[in-house]
Amino acid sequence: MPKRVDHDQRRREIGAALLRIADTRGLQAASMREVAAEAGVSLRLVQYYFHTKDELLLAGLKYLGEELSARVERHIPRPPTPRGVVAGTLTAVLPTDAEGRRLTRTYAAYYALALAEPKLAQEHGATYPDLLERFLAGQLAKAQEDGQLDPGHEPATVAAGLLALTNGLGSSVLGGQRDGAAATAILNYHLDRLFA
């Protein structure tokens, strides 16, 4: 009897190989042949599952988003509160451990690729950051409704600022300017002032 192939699992394995390349070497030079070698499969198999490099890149970005979502879930306290969700989400984005550093480097590789290939950025680049920003803005609006956040704050603007702060702190950690604990302390300082 022929062996059954789990096609979704095979696609994910190939996507994981792409993400490993993104983390260690960046995406500009990542060819489908390199992804095949990293995944330990033939180029033909990669092309069977992903007809173009763009299709592979977008699938990898989707898988990366799923990994970040799972990390965020683990950082949100139970029971969740709007402040806890905002703090947990932003803390999950910070590269404070090996997983966080890998995710941050891989997102940075996608960002660098988007800068190098404006068409890719124009068509697909803002999807995940926009989703995260809207999610945070929704939590901040809930905090306002619950009286935990000053009604004078504009949730969408505050969410954009918090993400920019967190991304900048993440870059400073990866660049060796500060460690994860210092970045977390700075983030918490701003959250304490916001939710005072």
Side-chain angles (χ1 to χ4, degrees):
M1 184 161 194
K3 184 179 174 186
R4 293 191 72 168
V5 176
D6 183 336
H7 295 290
D8 183 57
Q9 181 62 30
R10 183 62 60 86
R11 286 176 63 86
R12 286 180 177 278
E13 289 168 1
I14 294 168
L18 171 73
L19 295 180
R20 287 192 299 275
I21 291 171
D23 172 34
T24 57
R25 293 180 276 160
L27 287 170
Q28 281 84 354
S31 67
M32 291 180 85
R33 187 174 304 282
E34 288 178 66
V35 172
E38 178 69 28
V41 299
S42 70
L43 173 61
R44 190 174 199 168
L45 190 67
V46 172
Q47 292 169 331
Y48 172 79
Y49 286 105
F50 303 99
H51 300 107
T52 66
K53 184 177 176 183
D54 280 359
E55 190 179 325
L56 175 59
L57 289 168
L58 292 174
L61 187 57
K62 174 182 176 270
Y63 299 145
L64 184 61
E66 291 171 0
E67 288 182 34
L68 179 59
S69 293
R71 180 175 169 85
V72 166
E73 277 295 317
R74 293 190 305 271
H75 278 78
I76 292 175
R78 300 288 179 235
T81 62
R83 182 197 165 128
V85 172
V86 169
T89 300
L90 295 173
T91 302
V93 171
L94 282 176
T96 56
D97 57 15
E99 179 190 36
R101 287 187 294 278
R102 178 183 60 77
L103 290 170
T104 301
R105 282 191 307 264
T106 307
Y107 269 113
Y110 270 97
Y111 182 68
L113 182 67
L115 291 175
E117 298 185 23
K119 180 179 176 246
L120 186 67
Q122 182 181 5
E123 291 176 12
H124 309 287
T127 303
Y128 291 99
D130 284 351
L131 288 172
L132 186 54
E133 206 170 287
R134 283 196 301 272
F135 173 73
L136 289 172
Q139 293 300 313
L140 292 166
K142 283 182 188 173
Q144 278 182 327
E145 291 168 11
D146 295 346
Q148 300 172 15
L149 185 66
D150 188 302
H153 291 294
E154 168 52 44
T157 303
V158 173
L162 287 172
L163 269 178
L165 170 67
T166 304
N167 288 331
L169 288 170
S171 295
S172 73
V173 170
L174 289 184
Q177 180 183 9
R178 62 182 46 89
D179 63 15
T184 302
I186 293 167
L187 175 61
N188 286 331
Y189 169 82
H190 287 281
L191 290 173
D192 288 343
R193 289 170 58 94
L194 180 65
F195 284 93

